[in-house]
Amino acid sequence: MLIAPSLLSCDFSCFGDEIRRVDEAGADLVHLDIMDGHFVPNLTFGAPVVKKLRRFTDLPFDVHLMISQPLAYIDDFADAGADILSFHTEADSDIDATIRKIEDRGMRPALAIKPGTPAHTVLPYLERLYMVLVMTVEPGFGGQRFMADMMPKVELLRQEIDRRGLSTLIEVDGGIDRHTIRQAYISGVDVCVAGTAVFGAPSAMDAIGELRALCES
């Protein structure tokens, strides 16, 4: 299980120190949530902030675009240092064109789906995707409860990825903690985004270690 701490739950007043903290704690990725106040009812930060944060770690930046027009901002996030770029099937940009532009800019493309979106919407694109992100909360705010009824989507995706012999990863985001991560792992998840469970813990290293151990037990 790869652990991607979500900066949405960190102390924004010391962004750099928070990234260093999870890097030293053994995180596999850094998850950055980009919200435009239109696609989701919240605002976070954009490519200029991501570019400033890039110098604090060599960990891959897993950038989740919760924005209406992802195609228009691919160059900005490529220039900012994003490694994985997730965008939503429900967004307004053409999916094929957006995947192609992400690849052209040397990033790894990922598709994300909201809780109300069926898993089969991403199946036509699986061969072209580095990762599929299944939201286990309604996107827009951190600290929500894990939606266990999203696990059948994960199971369907796992079966189809394995059937096709693909290496596409499955990521979940929302409500992941010591009580929910094993259920995600058993369902076939490869990457768990964890916000409060890591940044809200007294020790990020202990929190990440416990999350991994719960999957290995």
Side-chain angles (χ1 to χ4, degrees):
M1 178 65 74
L2 301 178
I3 305 298
S6 170
L7 292 185
L8 189 62
S9 297
C10 82
D11 183 347
F12 281 17
S13 69
C14 49
F15 249 149
D17 291 338
E18 291 283 67
I19 290 177
R20 287 196 184 105
R21 181 159 73 99
V22 294
D23 188 337
E24 294 168 0
D28 298 291
L29 310 165
V30 175
H31 189 82
L32 300 104
D33 289 303
I34 312 301
M35 306 181 193
D36 63 0
H38 181 262
F39 183 75
V40 292
N42 197 7
L43 282 168
T44 52
F45 48 88
V49 172
V50 174
K51 188 172 185 177
K52 293 292 186 182
L53 297 176
R54 182 68 277 181
R55 64 189 175 93
F56 290 98
T57 182
D58 292 326
L59 288 175
F61 271 9
D62 173 23
V63 177
H64 178 195
L65 300 181
M66 287 174 269
I67 64 178
S68 296
Q69 298 286 348
L71 182 58
Y73 294 91
I74 290 171
D75 285 328
D76 293 333
F77 284 99
D79 293 341
D83 298 286
I84 305 163
L85 205 60
S86 303
F87 69 99
H88 276 262
T89 61
E90 308 92 352
D92 296 333
S93 297
D94 179 79
I95 293 176
D96 282 305
T98 305
I99 291 174
R100 186 163 56 250
K101 182 71 176 288
I102 292 170
E103 292 173 325
D104 288 346
R105 288 306 314 268
M107 295 178 291
R108 289 169 283 186
L111 269 178
I113 51 175
K114 293 181 180 182
T117 302
H120 68 73
T121 59
V122 304
L123 297 185
Y125 309 99
L126 276 183
E127 278 83 1
R128 302 173 61 192
L129 299 176
Y130 174 74
M131 188 165 69
V132 176
L133 169 53
V134 177
M135 293 301 298
T136 45
V137 296
E138 288 294 340
F141 296 91
Q144 299 181 62
R145 290 175 63 95
F146 176 78
M147 299 171 69
D149 55 348
M150 295 299 106
M151 291 305 97
K153 290 187 190 181
V154 171
E155 292 163 4
L156 184 153
L157 288 166
R158 178 83 281 149
Q159 291 169 7
E160 190 63 19
I161 288 167
D162 292 347
R163 186 186 71 79
R164 300 188 196 183
L166 303 175
S167 58
T168 310
L169 300 177
I170 301 174
E171 180 178 55
V172 291
D173 181 2
I176 293 295
D177 59 22
R178 62 189 305 273
H179 303 292
T180 57
I181 193 167
R182 183 153 179 82
Q183 184 177 3
Y185 173 76
I186 291 170
S187 297
V189 171
D190 303 293
V191 186
C192 276
V193 177
T196 305
V198 172
F199 286 105
S203 166
M205 183 176 293
D206 289 348
I208 291 172
E210 181 183 28
L211 291 173
R212 286 206 187 97
L214 287 166
C215 296
E216 296 166 358
S217 61

